[in-house]
Amino acid sequence: MSNIDNYANKKENKIKHKEQMKELNLKHKTDSIKRKKKHNETKKLMKEDKKNLVAFNKENKKFLKDSKGIVQDKVKEVLTWYSENKEKENITKKHFKSKLQRAKKSMYDFSGPISFENVSYTYGWGTPFEFKALDSADLVIKKGKITAVIGMTGSGKSTLIQLTNGLIISETGRTLVGNFPIIAKTKKIKFVKELRREIGLVFQFPEYQLFQNTIESDIAFGPINLGADKETSIKKVPELLRLVDLPEDYAKRSPFDLSGGQKRRVAIAGIIAMDGNTLVLDEPTGGLDPHGEEDFMKLFYDLNKKQNKRIIIVTHNMDHVLQIADEVIVMHKGKVISIGTPFEIFSNNELLKKIEIEPPKLYKLAHKLKDKGLDVTDKNFRTIEELAKHIKERIK
Ligand SMILES: Nc1ncnc2c1ncn2[C@@H]1O[C@H](COP(=O)(O)OP(=O)(O)OP(=O)(O)O)[C@@H](O)[C@H]1O
Ligand SMILES: [Mg+2]
């Protein structure tokens, strides 16, 4: 290459670089303007929400006042029970304290519907990374059902479900877990232990959840922490390990030597050990092989059908949603944009396109058949057997 060519090349690169920098600067500027606009909108929303928060707090105070009598009776019952039984060998002070604590919160029933009322949440408030993950979302998750939460990456799914057990607290509105309120901007949730006992949450990244020296103590940690007898809780570990398909002799191993999928199994066992009413699972099958995924879907399905546990599952796997969900919540840009049965959601092509989600394999097949002149897309089905039945009926 001649010197002239070299010079021209360098010059061209410099111009290109300059243009790129200009574009980048422009993007930064427009992003920053957008962020500021959103920031101000949220500020306004919070201001408008102030009177709601006052009303919620008032309502809560009245509820606590009205339930005083019930609580006092329950507390009295526990005190009498303790004075009559404290000499017995198996009645420990810890046992008594946990019973007393339960009596003190006896006005709360966490098993009812979980309602999100106008909840918003912003990460990194006031920083250059500020991001509004929940934008005045409204939603009710029914009791005793399997609810799937779907939506593209970044739509606010993990943020929404973390409100259920007080890991984060909304900046507007409130979350009601049964009749237990978590009002926006609450600094410290009273009875947070009881809430977390009832609402067991398995994180999207379970490695953040395990912190004990052995798998056994990790699984038994929750119940012991909430006052259950240590020996009994440890005794239950082998059964829990079996339930999540891990060898029983893993009990004494360190959780940190496990693979991602195995850590998830331990985290799920720990949540089941708490025996709460609701299990919240954020991408529970990440890192598992297809066989493991199927086993877990069956486990969640059984926990719901046989023990009436409410299951809330965030997943990108639409085949799983079709397989087990009673209701599907669709999140988009921090809002709930649709709620319906799997059939209602998966037969809505426009909605699926908007959230860039592919329907389950069986629905894809049904649509391909429709293109070939055999239409069963108006039929409700979950399994290949049900689809086959509809096809047979159509071609009769
Ligand atoms: N700790 C954080 N700090 C700053 N921004 C965050 C933080 N956590 C989440 N976000 C942002 O908030 C938005 C919503 O996040 P969230 O984790 O709720 O989404 P998601 O729907 O669960 O996504 P995915 O399907 O990828 O798990 C995302 O754009 C994310 O980048
Ligand atoms: Mg997530």
Side-chain angles (χ1 to χ4, degrees), residues 153-154 156-159 162 204-205 282-283 314 316:
T153 178
K157 305 180 295 295
S158 297
T159 311
Q162 284 179 65
Q204 186 165 7
F205 305 103
D282 199 349
E283 298 277 357
V314 176
H316 284 279

Side-chain angles (χ1 to χ4, degrees), residues 88-152:
K88 287 187 187 154
E89 207 178 296
N90 58 343
I91 310 288
T92 58
K93 231 184 175 139
K94 201 172 171 194
H95 191 174
F96 162 63
K97 271 191 183 160
S98 102
K99 249 187 141 132
L100 193 63
Q101 187 66 359
R102 232 172 297 155
K104 282 182 184 166
K105 63 110 210 186
S106 55
M107 66 288 200
Y108 290 124
D109 173 12
F110 299 93
S111 68
I114 300 178
S115 318
F116 302 92
E117 297 176 5
N118 185 34
V119 289
S120 304
Y121 190 82
T122 303
Y123 288 105
W125 180 255
T127 72
F129 308 104
E130 182 172 312
F131 190 87
K132 188 160 193 177
L134 287 178
D135 192 359
S136 307
D138 280 300
L139 169 70
V140 178
I141 297 181
K142 292 177 191 138
K143 107 186 235 188
K145 300 252 183 235
I146 302 183
T147 302
V149 184
I150 66 168
M152 59 170 78

Side-chain angles (χ1 to χ4, degrees), residues 351-366:
L351 176 72
L352 295 185
K353 237 187 230 159
K354 180 172 178 174
I355 57 170
E356 295 174 20
I357 277 179
E358 295 248 323
K361 288 190 199 86
L362 288 182
Y363 273 72
K364 272 199 225 163
L365 174 63

